[in-house]
C-alpha cells in the first residue's frame, strides 16, 4: 500500500533553500571509465581500521577484501577493480580536518577482473538466518551512504525492538541528486533492499520519506511497489510518503518527526522509540551484497555546480581520484569570472566539506562533488546583536546564539546544559545570521574539544584503573607470599616438633637394634654354639 500524505507533520524551523537540482538531474546515470589509479583509504566509515591483508606488489581482483575488521566497529574495504598494489602510504583524504590517512594504492590493469571475489547470492533471504544476513552486510563493507558512514550491520544488530523502518530518500540539501536518479533507475533493487532490511529488523512497517521535488522517483517507487513480478514480500507494509521540500528534512530526528509525529528525546536514539532510519542508497547496496554477492565498491556521485562542464550523476568506483572524476565530467567549465575563485566541496553547499587536494579519493560516503566558481566570502564577522533569527530557524530547537557564546568562552558545562550535541550542524543558523558569524564552525570546534577531553579522560581513567588493578594484584601477590611463608614456617615448626619425638624414638630403636644385632652376632660366634652346630650337623649326616 502506498499513500501520499497520511500523517506528515512539520518540524520546528528549517529553511526553504533554492534547490539547484536541475543542474544535475537531467540525464541518466553515466558509468565512468576505469581510472589508472585507485586510492583506497583503509578507514572510510565511523569506526576502527581493519588489518591490511595485502602488500606492495600483490595482484588483487576486483571485489577482493584488502582489510579485515578487527573488532565490531571495523569494516573491510575491497579493491574496486583488478590491478597491482603499488604502495601503502599516508595520503591526503577529504575530511573536516584534512589529516592524511593510510591508503592502499592500486595500479589498475584495465581487465576489471572479479576472479572468484563475488559472494554467493542469498536469494531466499526471507528464510535466511538474521545472523547470516548481518554477516553478509558486514563482509560487504556497507556503511550508511547518507553521510554518517556508520557500519550498517552494527546498526542493524541493535534492532531487537524496531517496529518501524524509515528509508531516508529526502536528499534535502541543494545540488545533490544522486539518490533521486538511483530511485528513478533502480527502484526494483531499492525495494528488494528494503525487503531485506525488513527481514533483518523484523520491522512491521516501512516508511519511505521523499521530498515532493522528486516526482519521477516517487512514481518509479510506487510503480515498482505495484509490480507483482518482483520478489518483494513486504510490499503491503511499505508506504511511500511525499513531504514538502524543507531543509533539513533529511536529518534523522526531523525526518522521524515529519513521518511519524514522534520526537526522539534529547540524547537518545531512534531505536529507543522503536524506529530505525536507513539511507535509500544503503538499501541498494544491501541488495547488491545479498542478491548480487558484490561488496560496496562503487557508488553514484553527483558532480555539479557552475564550475563543471558536464554536470550529472556518475557511477564511480570508490577510490577514484577527485581530479579523475572532474575530468570524466568534462573538466572545469571556462566561465570563471574575474574576482571569482573555484571552490570544491564533498557534499552539498551547506554541510559539505571543503576539498583541499584534487588527488584525494572518492570514499563510500562521498555523495556529491560540488564545483563552484564564486566570489570569495567578503562578509566580515560582526558581534551578535541578539536578533533571535538563529533560534527561529534551528530545527533542533536549540539556542544557537547561546551555544556560540559558551563555545567562545570554552564553557563546556554550559554547552552540555544547552545540548550542544543535539546540534545536527545543518547550518541554518549560519545562513540567517545577519552578523555573518560562522556559528557551526564554533560548534564543531567545541564538539571536537569536548570529544578530545572525553577521550583523554577515558584514557586517564583506564590508566588509573590499570594502575589500581596492578597495585591490587601486587598487594594480593604480597599477601599470598606472606601467607605461603607463614604456612611454610608453621610446617617447619611442626616438622621440627615431630622430628624431635620421632627422631629420638628412631634413634633409640636404632640403638636397640644395633645392640641386639651385636648380641646376636656374638652368640653366633661362640665355640659352644659351633660345637652344637657341628654335632647337630653330624647327627643329621649319620642319620
Ligand atoms: S542570528 Fe546571529 S546575530 Fe542574531 S542572535 Fe543569532 S548569532 Fe546573534
Ligand atoms: S547548525 Fe545546529 S544550532 Fe545551527 S540551526 Fe542547525 S541544529 Fe541549530
Amino acid at each position: 500500500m502506498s499513500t501520499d500524505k497520511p500523517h506528515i507533520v512539520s518540524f520546528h524551523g528549517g529553511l526553504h533553500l533554492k534547490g539547484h537540482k536541475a543542474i544535475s538531474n537531467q540525464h541518466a546515470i553515466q558509468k565512468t571509465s576505469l581510472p589508472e589509479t585507485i586510492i583506497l583509504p583503509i578507514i572510510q566509515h565511523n569506526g576502527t581500521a581493519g588489518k591490511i591483508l595485502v602488500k606492495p606488489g600483490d595482484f588483487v581482483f576486483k571485489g577482493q577484501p584488502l582489510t579485515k575488521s578487527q573488532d565490531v566497529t571495523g569494516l573491510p574495504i575491497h579493491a574496486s577493480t583488478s590491478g597491482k598494489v603499488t604502495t601503502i602510504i599516508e595520503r591526503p583524504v577529504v575530511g573536516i580536518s584534512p589529516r592524511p590517512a593510510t591508503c592502499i594504492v592500486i595500479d589498475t590493469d584495465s581487465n576489471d577482473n572479479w576472479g572468484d571475489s563475488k559472494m554467493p547470492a542469498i536469494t531466499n533471504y526471507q528464510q535466511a538466518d538474521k545472523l547470516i544476513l548481518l554477516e553478509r552486510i558486514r563482509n560487504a563493507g556497507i556503511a550508511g551512504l547518507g553521510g554518517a558512514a556508520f557500519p550498517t550491520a552494527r546498526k542493524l544488530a541493535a534492532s531487537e525492538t524496531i517496529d518501524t523502518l524509515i528509508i531516508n530518500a529526502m536528499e534535502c540539501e541543494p545540488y545533490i541528486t544522486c539518490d533521486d536518479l538511483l530511485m528513478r533507475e533502480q527502484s526494483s533493487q531499492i525495494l528488494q533492499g528494503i525487503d531485506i532490511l525488513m527481514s533483518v529488523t523484523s520491522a512491521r512497517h516501512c516508511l519511505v520519506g521523499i521530498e515532493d521535488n522528486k516526482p519521477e522517483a516517487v512514481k518509479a517507487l510506487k510503480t515498482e511497489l505495484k509490480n507483482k513480478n518482483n520478489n518483494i514480500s513486504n510490499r503491503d507494509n511499505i508506504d511511500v510518503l511525499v513531504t514538502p521540500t524543507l531543509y533539513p528534512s533529511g536529518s534523522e530526528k526531523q525526518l522521524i518527526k515529519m513521518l511519524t509525529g514522534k520526537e526522539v528525546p534529547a540524547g537518545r536514539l531512534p531505536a529507543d522509540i522503536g524506529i530505525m532510519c536507513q539511507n535509500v542508497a544503503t538499501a541498494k547496496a544491501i541488495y547488491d551484497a545479498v542478491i548480487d554477492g558484490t561488496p560496496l565498491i562503487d557508488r553514484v556521485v553527483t558532480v555539479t555546480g557552475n564550475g563543471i562542464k558536464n554536470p550529472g550523476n556518475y557511477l564511480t568506483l570508490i577510490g577514484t581520484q577527485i581530479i579523475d572524476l572532474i575530468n570524466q565530467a568534462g573538466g572545469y567549465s571556462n566561465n570563471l569570472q574575474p574576482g571569482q575563485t573555484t571552490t570544491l566541496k564533498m557534499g552539498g553547499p551547506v554541510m559539505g566539506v571543503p576539498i583541499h587536494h584534487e588527488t584525494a579519493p572518492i570514499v563510500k560516503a562521498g555523495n556529491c562533488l560540488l564545483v563552484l566558481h564564486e566570489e570569495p566570502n567578503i562578509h566580515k564577522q560582526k558581534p551578535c546583536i541578539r536578533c533571535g533569527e538563529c533560534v527561529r530557524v534551528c530545527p533542533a530547537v536549540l539556542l544557537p546564539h547561546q551555544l556560540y557564546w559558551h563555545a567562545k568562552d570554552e564553557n563546556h558545562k554550559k554547552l552540555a546544559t544547552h545540548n550542544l550535541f543535539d546540534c545536527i550542524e545543518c547550518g541554518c543558523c549560519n545562513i540567517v545570521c545577519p552578523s555573518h558569524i560562522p556559528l557551526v564552525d564554533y560548534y564543531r570546534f567545541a564538539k571536537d574539544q569536548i570529544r578530545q577531553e572525553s577521550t583523554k579522560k577515558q584514557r586517564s581513567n583506564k590508566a588509573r584503573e590499570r594502575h589500581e588493578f596492578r597495585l591490587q594484584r601486587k598487594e594480593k601477590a604480597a599477601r599470598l607470599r606472606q601467607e605461603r611463608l607463614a604456612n611454610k614456617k608453621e610446617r617447619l615448626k611442626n616438622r621440627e616438633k615431630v622430628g624431635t619425638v620421632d627422631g629420638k624414638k628412631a634413634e633409640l630403636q636404632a640403638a636397640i637394634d644395633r645392640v641386639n644385632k651385636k648380641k646376636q652376632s656374638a652368640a653366633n660366634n661362640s665355640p659352644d654354639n659351633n660345637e652344637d652346630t657341628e654335632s647337630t650337623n653330624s647327627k643329621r649326616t649319620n642319620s
Side-chain angles (χ1 to χ4, degrees):
M1 176 187 71
S2 67
T3 49
D4 262 342
K5 294 181 181 178
H7 38 234
I8 302 295
V9 182
S10 195
F11 55 88
H12 177 267
L15 288 171
H16 293 281
L17 301 177
K18 202 168 170 213
H20 301 283
K21 304 273 188 183
I23 299 175
S24 60
N25 69 4
Q26 303 299 301
H27 304 288
I29 297 169
Q30 299 168 65
K31 194 171 177 216
T32 53
S33 51
L34 277 178
E36 285 180 5
T37 305
I38 286 285
I39 297 162
L40 293 158
I42 62 166
I43 183 155
Q44 299 184 32
H45 66 281
N46 191 337
T48 57
K51 183 181 170 204
I52 298 174
L53 303 174
V54 289
K55 57 184 183 316
D58 284 358
F59 175 83
V60 291
F61 287 109
K62 180 174 179 140
Q64 182 177 324
L66 304 179
T67 61
K68 186 174 187 274
S69 3
Q70 308 193 83
D71 58 37
V72 286
T73 69
L75 265 192
I77 57 154
H78 302 80
S80 38
T81 185
S82 54
K84 194 168 139 188
V85 175
T86 53
T87 179
I88 299 171
I89 44 161
E90 301 280 302
R91 283 188 57 109
V93 292
V94 179
I96 292 172
S97 50
R99 284 188 281 261
T102 306
C103 297
I104 298 173
V105 183
I106 298 171
D107 262 3
T108 65
D109 67 358
S110 76
N111 294 327
D112 216 21
N113 184 356
W114 278 94
D116 57 2
S117 299
K118 279 200 183 183
M119 300 170 278
I122 311 175
T123 43
N124 62 340
Y125 58 83
Q126 291 95 342
Q127 283 82 48
D129 191 283
K130 177 180 168 177
L131 291 178
I132 290 178
L133 293 173
L134 284 177
E135 190 68 2
R136 170 58 60 90
I137 293 166
R138 185 178 298 114
N139 288 343
I142 300 174
L145 298 182
F150 193 82
T152 304
R154 197 171 167 216
K155 192 169 175 182
L156 290 171
S159 63
E160 293 299 323
T161 53
I162 299 304
D163 177 69
T164 305
L165 172 70
I166 288 182
I167 296 296
N168 189 343
M170 306 298 268
E171 205 167 49
C172 62
E173 193 160 356
Y175 285 95
I176 310 174
T177 59
C178 52
D179 288 350
D180 182 4
L181 268 288
L182 196 66
M183 285 186 277
R184 292 189 206 181
E185 297 184 17
Q186 307 210 11
S187 54
S188 169
Q189 291 91 326
I190 288 169
L191 287 169
Q192 283 188 67
I194 292 173
D195 212 28
I196 297 167
L197 278 167
M198 290 183 79
S199 282
V200 175
T201 56
S202 308
R204 285 188 309 111
H205 196 198
C206 173
L207 306 173
V208 183
I210 180 165
E211 283 191 332
D212 58 9
N213 59 0
K214 303 173 194 59
E216 291 180 45
V218 173
K219 193 174 161 201
L221 288 175
K222 287 186 173 179
T223 309
E224 195 55 40
L225 266 180
K226 287 184 195 144
N227 176 7
K228 299 275 169 55
N229 293 327
N230 60 32
N231 185 27
I232 301 160
S233 49
N234 283 295
R235 79 176 71 246
D236 293 338
N237 301 319
I238 301 173
D239 281 321
V240 177
L241 304 186
V242 183
T243 73
T245 298
L246 178 68
Y247 179 81
S249 61
S251 265
E252 205 163 68
K253 291 187 177 178
Q254 285 61 40
L255 178 61
I256 291 169
K257 177 79 194 284
M258 275 185 121
L259 301 189
T260 68
K262 292 183 182 172
E263 304 241 7
V264 182
R268 304 285 296 278
L269 294 170
D272 296 333
I273 56 166
I275 295 175
M276 176 176 291
C277 294
Q278 292 286 350
N279 175 266
V280 69
T282 311
K284 162 66 173 48
I286 287 172
Y287 165 88
D288 291 340
V290 175
I291 307 291
D292 274 358
T294 54
L296 180 56
I297 52 167
D298 58 19
R299 66 157 301 143
V300 181
V301 182
T302 304
V303 185
T304 187
N306 64 356
I308 196 86
K309 266 193 189 147
N310 303 322
N313 283 283
Y314 293 85
L315 181 61
T316 309
L317 292 180
I318 307 289
T320 302
Q321 291 178 86
I322 283 161
I323 187 64
D324 286 344
L325 186 54
I326 288 172
N327 289 335
Q328 293 267 345
Y332 293 109
S333 61
N334 302 323
N335 56 358
L336 187 69
Q337 303 299 315
Q340 286 186 331
T341 54
T342 304
T343 307
L344 282 180
K345 269 190 178 179
M346 182 66 76
V350 194
M351 294 182 81
V353 178
I355 296 170
H356 301 284
H357 300 272
E358 286 176 328
T359 54
I362 297 291
V363 291
K364 292 175 183 176
N367 56 356
C368 178
L369 177 53
L370 181 63
V371 188
L372 291 175
H373 291 329
E374 59 183 4
E375 272 90 40
N377 186 358
I378 47 159
H379 296 298
K380 270 203 174 153
Q381 182 180 327
K382 294 183 199 140
C384 170
I385 55 170
R386 296 174 188 246
C387 65
E389 276 302 289
C390 50
V391 181
R392 188 181 60 76
V393 299
C394 177
V397 202
L398 301 172
L399 300 172
H401 57 313
Q402 296 212 0
L403 285 176
Y404 157 64
W405 295 328
H406 299 317
K408 243 176 90 171
D409 292 346
E410 298 189 9
N411 188 336
H412 295 169
K413 260 193 185 162
K414 285 275 186 197
L415 285 169
T417 53
H418 283 83
N419 298 318
L420 170 71
F421 280 90
D422 276 357
C423 165
I424 52 173
E425 300 176 19
C426 65
C428 287
C429 51
N430 261 19
I431 295 171
V432 297
C433 178
S435 297
H436 306 292
I437 304 170
L439 295 161
V440 182
D441 290 351
Y442 282 95
Y443 309 150
R444 279 184 183 151
F445 185 75
K447 281 182 187 176
D448 208 36
Q449 270 189 330
I450 293 170
R451 282 194 197 105
Q452 278 180 28
E453 258 175 33
S454 147
T455 317
K456 240 188 198 171
K457 209 170 173 184
Q458 276 175 10
R459 275 200 200 125
S460 82
N461 281 347
K462 270 196 183 149
R464 185 170 44 77
E465 274 169 23
R466 272 201 304 274
H467 178 66
E468 283 172 2
F469 180 70
R470 208 179 303 129
L471 281 183
Q472 279 174 6
R473 209 176 52 203
K474 270 188 175 174
E475 275 172 19
K476 193 178 168 188
R479 204 177 55 240
L480 287 175
R481 205 168 42 245
Q482 294 239 329
E483 279 173 13
R484 271 201 307 276
L485 273 174
N487 285 342
K488 201 174 171 184
K489 266 188 189 169
E490 190 67 23
R491 270 203 313 277
L492 281 173
K493 224 173 174 185
N494 289 340
R495 203 181 292 157
E496 272 168 24
K497 257 192 218 166
V498 170
T500 315
V501 176
D502 286 353
K504 279 183 179 169
K505 271 187 185 172
E507 271 171 31
L508 198 60
Q509 186 62 45
I512 292 169
D513 287 349
R514 272 197 308 277
V515 171
N516 283 342
K517 218 175 168 184
K518 263 187 184 174
K519 274 183 184 171
Q520 183 67 37
S521 165
N524 287 344
N525 292 332
S526 76
D528 295 349
N529 199 21
N530 286 342
E531 272 173 20
D532 284 352
T533 312
E534 276 168 23
S535 77
T536 311
N537 285 343
S538 70
K539 272 177 195 170
R540 271 188 201 142
T541 314
N542 296 335
S543 67

Coordinates of all heavy atoms in Angstrom, one line a residue, residues 317-356:
L317 N 33.8 4.4 -9.2 CA 34.5 3.4 -8.4 C 35.0 4.1 -7.1 O 35.6 5.2 -7.2 CB 35.7 2.7 -9.1 CG 35.3 1.8 -10.3 CD1 36.6 1.3 -10.9 CD2 34.4 0.7 -9.9
I318 N 34.8 3.5 -6.0 CA 35.3 4.0 -4.7 C 36.8 4.0 -4.9 O 37.4 3.1 -5.4 CB 35.0 3.1 -3.5 CG1 33.5 2.8 -3.4 CG2 35.6 3.7 -2.2 CD1 32.6 3.9 -3.0
G319 N 37.5 5.1 -4.6 CA 38.9 5.2 -4.7 C 39.3 6.0 -5.9 O 40.5 6.3 -6.1
T320 N 38.4 6.4 -6.8 CA 38.7 7.2 -7.9 C 39.1 8.6 -7.4 O 38.5 9.2 -6.5 CB 37.5 7.4 -8.8 OG1 37.0 6.1 -9.2 CG2 37.7 8.3 -10.0
Q321 N 40.2 9.2 -8.0 CA 40.7 10.5 -7.5 C 39.7 11.6 -8.0 O 39.1 11.5 -9.1 CB 42.1 10.8 -8.1 CG 43.1 9.9 -7.5 CD 44.5 10.1 -8.1 OE1 45.2 11.0 -7.6 NE2 44.8 9.3 -9.1
I322 N 39.5 12.6 -7.2 CA 38.6 13.7 -7.5 C 38.9 14.3 -8.9 O 38.0 14.5 -9.7 CB 38.6 14.7 -6.4 CG1 37.8 14.1 -5.2 CG2 38.1 16.0 -6.8 CD1 38.1 14.7 -3.9
I323 N 40.2 14.5 -9.2 CA 40.5 15.1 -10.4 C 40.1 14.2 -11.6 O 39.6 14.7 -12.7 CB 42.0 15.5 -10.5 CG1 42.4 16.2 -11.8 CG2 42.9 14.2 -10.4 CD1 41.7 17.6 -11.9
D324 N 40.2 12.9 -11.4 CA 39.7 12.0 -12.5 C 38.2 12.1 -12.7 O 37.8 12.0 -13.9 CB 40.1 10.5 -12.1 CG 41.6 10.2 -12.3 OD1 42.3 11.1 -12.9 OD2 42.1 9.2 -11.7
L325 N 37.5 12.2 -11.6 CA 36.0 12.4 -11.7 C 35.7 13.7 -12.4 O 34.8 13.8 -13.3 CB 35.4 12.2 -10.4 CG 33.9 12.2 -10.3 CD1 33.3 11.1 -11.3 CD2 33.3 12.0 -8.9
I326 N 36.4 14.7 -12.0 CA 36.2 16.0 -12.7 C 36.4 15.9 -14.2 O 35.6 16.4 -15.0 CB 37.1 17.1 -12.0 CG1 36.6 17.4 -10.6 CG2 37.1 18.4 -12.9 CD1 37.4 18.3 -9.8
N327 N 37.5 15.2 -14.5 CA 37.8 15.1 -16.0 C 36.7 14.2 -16.7 O 36.4 14.5 -17.8 CB 39.2 14.5 -16.2 CG 40.2 15.5 -15.8 OD1 40.0 16.7 -15.9 ND2 41.4 15.0 -15.4
Q328 N 36.2 13.2 -16.0 CA 35.1 12.4 -16.6 C 33.9 13.3 -16.9 O 33.1 13.0 -17.8 CB 34.7 11.3 -15.6 CG 35.8 10.3 -15.4 CD 35.6 9.1 -16.3 OE1 34.6 8.9 -16.9 NE2 36.7 8.3 -16.4
A329 N 33.7 14.3 -16.0 CA 32.6 15.2 -16.2 C 32.9 16.4 -17.1 O 32.3 17.5 -17.0 CB 32.1 15.7 -14.8
G330 N 33.9 16.2 -17.9 CA 34.3 17.3 -18.9 C 35.3 18.3 -18.4 O 35.7 19.2 -19.2
G331 N 35.7 18.2 -17.2 CA 36.6 19.2 -16.6 C 36.0 20.4 -16.1 O 34.7 20.6 -16.1
Y332 N 36.8 21.3 -15.6 CA 36.3 22.6 -15.1 C 35.7 23.4 -16.3 O 36.2 23.4 -17.4 CB 37.4 23.4 -14.4 CG 37.9 22.8 -13.2 CD1 39.2 22.2 -13.2 CD2 37.2 22.7 -12.0 CE1 39.7 21.6 -12.0 CE2 37.7 22.1 -10.9 CZ 38.9 21.6 -10.9 OH 39.4 21.0 -9.7
S333 N 34.6 24.1 -16.0 CA 34.0 25.0 -17.0 C 34.8 26.2 -17.2 O 35.6 26.6 -16.3 CB 32.6 25.3 -16.7 OG 32.6 26.1 -15.5
N334 N 34.6 26.9 -18.4 CA 35.5 28.0 -18.7 C 34.9 29.4 -18.3 O 35.4 30.4 -18.7 CB 35.8 28.1 -20.2 CG 36.4 26.8 -20.6 OD1 37.2 26.2 -19.9 ND2 36.0 26.3 -21.8
N335 N 33.8 29.3 -17.5 CA 33.1 30.6 -17.2 C 33.6 31.2 -15.9 O 32.8 31.9 -15.2 CB 31.6 30.3 -17.2 CG 31.2 29.3 -16.2 OD1 32.1 28.7 -15.5 ND2 30.0 29.0 -16.0
L336 N 34.8 31.0 -15.5 CA 35.3 31.7 -14.3 C 35.4 33.2 -14.5 O 36.2 33.6 -15.4 CB 36.7 31.1 -13.9 CG 37.3 31.5 -12.5 CD1 36.5 31.0 -11.4 CD2 38.7 31.0 -12.4
Q337 N 34.7 34.0 -13.7 CA 34.7 35.4 -13.9 C 35.8 36.1 -13.1 O 36.3 35.5 -12.1 CB 33.4 36.0 -13.5 CG 32.1 35.4 -14.1 CD 32.1 35.7 -15.6 OE1 32.4 36.8 -16.1 NE2 31.9 34.6 -16.4
P338 N 36.3 37.3 -13.6 CA 37.3 38.0 -12.8 C 36.8 38.2 -11.3 O 35.6 38.5 -11.1 CB 37.4 39.3 -13.5 CG 36.8 39.1 -14.8 CD 35.8 38.0 -14.8
G339 N 37.7 37.9 -10.4 CA 37.3 38.1 -9.0 C 36.8 36.8 -8.4 O 36.6 36.7 -7.2
Q340 N 36.4 35.8 -9.2 CA 35.9 34.6 -8.7 C 37.0 33.6 -8.4 O 38.1 33.6 -9.0 CB 34.9 33.9 -9.7 CG 33.6 34.7 -9.7 CD 32.6 33.9 -10.6 OE1 33.0 33.2 -11.6 NE2 31.3 34.1 -10.3
T341 N 36.7 32.7 -7.5 CA 37.6 31.5 -7.3 C 36.8 30.3 -7.4 O 35.6 30.3 -7.4 CB 38.3 31.6 -5.9 OG1 37.3 31.6 -5.0 CG2 39.2 32.7 -5.8
T342 N 37.5 29.1 -7.6 CA 36.8 27.9 -7.7 C 36.8 27.2 -6.3 O 37.9 27.0 -5.7 CB 37.5 27.0 -8.7 OG1 37.5 27.7 -10.0 CG2 36.7 25.7 -8.9
T343 N 35.6 26.8 -5.8 CA 35.5 26.1 -4.6 C 35.1 24.7 -4.9 O 34.2 24.4 -5.7 CB 34.4 26.7 -3.7 OG1 34.6 28.1 -3.6 CG2 34.3 26.1 -2.3
L344 N 35.8 23.8 -4.2 CA 35.5 22.3 -4.3 C 35.0 21.8 -3.0 O 35.6 22.1 -1.9 CB 36.7 21.5 -4.7 CG 37.3 21.5 -6.1 CD1 38.5 20.7 -6.1 CD2 36.2 21.0 -7.0
K345 N 33.9 21.1 -3.0 CA 33.3 20.6 -1.8 C 32.9 19.1 -2.0 O 32.4 18.8 -3.0 CB 32.1 21.4 -1.3 CG 32.5 22.5 -0.4 CD 31.2 23.1 0.2 CE 31.6 24.2 1.2 NZ 30.4 24.8 1.8
M346 N 33.1 18.3 -1.0 CA 32.5 17.0 -1.0 C 31.2 17.1 -0.2 O 31.2 17.4 1.0 CB 33.4 16.0 -0.3 CG 33.0 14.5 -0.3 SD 32.9 13.8 -1.9 CE 34.6 13.5 -2.3
G347 N 30.1 16.9 -0.9 CA 28.8 17.1 -0.2 C 28.1 18.4 -0.8 O 28.6 18.9 -1.8
G348 N 27.1 18.8 -0.1 CA 26.3 20.0 -0.6 C 26.9 21.3 -0.1 O 28.0 21.3 0.6
P349 N 26.3 22.4 -0.5 CA 26.9 23.7 -0.2 C 26.9 24.1 1.3 O 27.7 24.9 1.8 CB 26.1 24.7 -1.0 CG 24.8 24.0 -1.2 CD 25.1 22.5 -1.3
V350 N 25.9 23.5 2.0 CA 25.7 23.8 3.4 C 26.5 22.9 4.4 O 27.3 23.4 5.2 CB 24.2 23.8 3.9 CG1 24.1 24.5 5.2 CG2 23.4 24.5 2.8
M351 N 26.3 21.6 4.2 CA 27.0 20.7 5.1 C 28.3 20.0 4.5 O 28.9 19.2 5.2 CB 26.0 19.6 5.5 CG 24.9 20.1 6.4 SD 23.8 18.8 6.9 CE 24.6 18.2 8.3
G352 N 28.6 20.4 3.3 CA 29.7 19.7 2.6 C 31.0 20.1 3.2 O 31.1 21.1 4.0
V353 N 32.0 19.3 2.9 CA 33.4 19.5 3.5 C 34.3 20.0 2.4 O 34.3 19.5 1.3 CB 33.9 18.2 4.0 CG1 35.3 18.3 4.6 CG2 32.9 17.6 5.1
P354 N 35.1 21.1 2.7 CA 36.0 21.6 1.6 C 37.0 20.5 1.2 O 37.5 19.8 2.0 CB 36.7 22.8 2.3 CG 36.0 23.0 3.5 CD 35.2 21.8 3.9
I355 N 37.3 20.5 -0.1 CA 38.3 19.6 -0.6 C 39.6 20.4 -0.8 O 39.6 21.4 -1.6 CB 37.9 19.0 -2.0 CG1 36.6 18.1 -1.8 CG2 39.0 18.2 -2.6 CD1 35.9 17.7 -3.0
H356 N 40.7 20.0 -0.2 CA 42.0 20.7 -0.3 C 42.9 20.1 -1.4 O 43.9 20.7 -1.8 CB 42.7 20.7 1.0 CG 41.8 21.4 2.1 ND1 41.7 22.8 2.2 CD2 41.0 20.9 3.1 CE1 40.9 23.1 3.2 NE2 40.5 21.9 3.7

